[in-house]
Amino acid sequence: MTMSGDGPAGASQVALVTGGYDHTIKLWQAHSGVCLRTMQHPDSQVNDLEINPSGQMVAACGYQHIRMYDLASANPDPIINFDGVTKNVSRVGFQENGQWMYTGGEDCTARIWDLRAGRQFQCQRIFQVPAPVNAVVLHPDQSQIMVGGQSGIIHIWDLKTDHNEQLIPEAEASIQDIAIDPEGKLMACVNNKGNCYIWSLGGSPPRPVPKKHIQAHSKYALRCNFSLDSTMLVTTSGDCSAKVWNTKDWTLKRELRHDTQRWVWDAAFTIDSRYLFTGSSDSYARLWDLEKGTLEREYCGHQKPITALAFRDQAV
């Protein structure tokens, strides 16, 4: 983990951003645990955070809105507001060149937003599904968006043809999150029963083939995420733990717990895959050394649960 260039001027290179129920978003100096800046996110909790490909801005989504904040300036307020969405927006992400953004939410849609038209961003495409959306992820080849939600269905939305296929890993279990590894060869999802399902992705367009089912957690799973080198998958849960799995044989590498941490809402690997950030209901973000299994650092400043975090290290 390269932690150089962490001052305010270097925030675009190395950024740890957290958000939660206290209506604030915090930018941290990752190597020291110092909070560089607090941004205001009024009216709502933060459901998800994503740093854009240039590293200059972070998108935050919450109840009936999406907002964009400038990480490179001292402005505590959002510089862009995306209006016209209803209910909770649960996920946000970016196309690899930052030309468009995608979101999903409780209005039973996934949406694509064109980011090239100045600051009057328009919703360009809408994909309707029969139930509230909890998870949206873009395949690394930029051709498909996976949409999962409370119905237990994963919809594979082909962006070129607009066709979609459906995948049902477990009947009557709400899909809480979906992840695709950076190589585009593995897909994982977690559900509200604590189960994790893994598929291999092959062909063009990629097709999922069932690979593994892990009973990852004893209760509600919340997030899943692959490491940048594709060797690990993290799952987080309401059982107060984050678990790191080896993708080679799907054995448990680490179970990360802390006395106070309660629900673990989100997690992100560092670029070298040696460390993991977690955010939890006790209002702390934490940095874990995955080789040693030790807690390296705590990020203290939020007043309520941390429900979303994002990390980007472009200095490597």
Side-chain angles (χ1 to χ4, degrees), residues 2-315:
T2 301
M3 290 298 196
S4 60
D6 252 311
S12 62
Q13 277 78 43
V14 183
L16 171 64
V17 187
T18 57
Y21 275 100
D22 62 0
H23 297 191
T24 68
I25 296 165
K26 292 182 181 290
L27 173 65
W28 303 88
Q29 191 174 46
H31 68 79
S32 69
V34 172
C35 180
L36 298 173
R37 192 147 58 86
T38 299
M39 293 160 276
Q40 301 305 314
H41 190 264
D43 314 323
S44 164
Q45 79 282 358
V46 179
N47 292 329
D48 194 21
L49 291 166
E50 186 75 22
I51 298 168
N52 74 340
S54 72
Q56 294 292 314
M57 293 193 286
V58 62
C61 61
Y63 183 68
Q64 303 201 139
H65 65 259
I66 308 141
R67 297 190 176 121
M68 205 91 85
Y69 296 82
D70 186 350
L71 292 176
S73 82
N75 184 359
D77 300 314
I79 58 168
I80 303 163
N81 283 297
F82 296 79
D83 298 319
V85 288
T86 60
K87 304 187 180 179
N88 266 311
V89 183
S90 51
R91 290 290 187 273
V92 59
F94 290 96
Q95 181 260 358
E96 63 182 354
N97 298 323
Q99 294 181 350
W100 46 268
M101 180 176 75
Y102 58 92
T103 59
E106 290 180 356
D107 65 352
C108 306
T109 70
R111 295 169 182 260
I112 289 177
W113 305 80
D114 189 345
L115 301 182
R116 293 169 295 185
R119 299 207 167 174
Q120 300 301 312
F121 297 136
Q122 300 295 320
C123 179
Q124 199 177 42
R125 297 170 74 178
I126 297 177
F127 179 67
Q128 191 81 38
V129 298
V133 171
N134 296 328
V136 191
V137 67
L138 176 65
H139 190 281
D141 72 6
Q142 316 294 297
S143 71
Q144 297 177 328
I145 289 180
M146 313 296 183
V147 182
Q150 293 181 18
S151 65
I153 301 169
I154 296 175
H155 301 267
I156 304 169
W157 178 19
D158 189 310
L159 298 177
K160 293 174 182 171
T161 65
D162 221 28
H163 293 158
N164 78 91
E165 296 182 17
Q166 295 185 359
L167 199 59
I168 305 176
E170 183 176 350
E172 297 178 17
S174 172
I175 291 169
Q176 298 306 114
D177 202 17
I178 306 170
I180 299 176
D181 82 307
E183 295 173 0
K185 294 177 179 176
L186 293 169
M187 180 172 78
C189 83
V190 290
N191 67 25
N192 64 339
K193 296 184 179 179
N195 291 319
C196 177
Y197 292 86
I198 295 112
W199 296 263
S200 57
L201 295 173
S204 182
R207 292 277 184 275
V209 177
K211 190 174 182 73
K212 185 73 177 176
H213 166 221
I214 304 170
Q215 290 181 303
H217 298 275
S218 59
K219 60 169 83 167
Y220 224 91
L222 294 163
R223 288 280 196 156
C224 57
N225 216 336
F226 285 97
S227 60
L228 203 66
D229 63 6
S230 301
T231 64
M232 290 174 283
L233 173 74
V234 62
T235 58
T236 76
S237 170
D239 70 0
C240 309
S241 76
K243 293 183 179 180
V244 179
W245 309 87
N246 295 302
T247 58
K248 185 178 180 182
D249 55 10
W250 303 108
T251 54
L252 181 63
K253 177 183 176 76
R254 290 285 175 212
E255 181 172 351
L256 305 173
R257 288 183 178 271
H258 188 273
D259 291 346
T260 64
Q261 102 180 337
R262 310 210 299 277
W263 284 42
V264 184
W265 286 91
D266 205 353
F269 289 95
T270 56
I271 199 165
D272 59 11
S273 304
R274 286 181 54 202
Y275 299 88
L276 182 79
F277 295 98
T278 58
S280 71
S281 283
D282 65 356
S283 78
Y284 281 81
R286 293 183 170 86
L287 176 68
W288 306 84
D289 184 318
L290 294 177
E291 288 305 310
K292 301 174 186 172
T294 52
L295 175 61
E296 294 295 303
R297 192 158 296 107
E298 291 185 317
Y299 303 85
C300 174
H302 283 283
Q303 303 302 310
K304 290 183 178 179
I306 293 175
T307 48
L309 59 80
F311 177 71
R312 179 174 292 271
D313 184 348
Q314 294 183 315

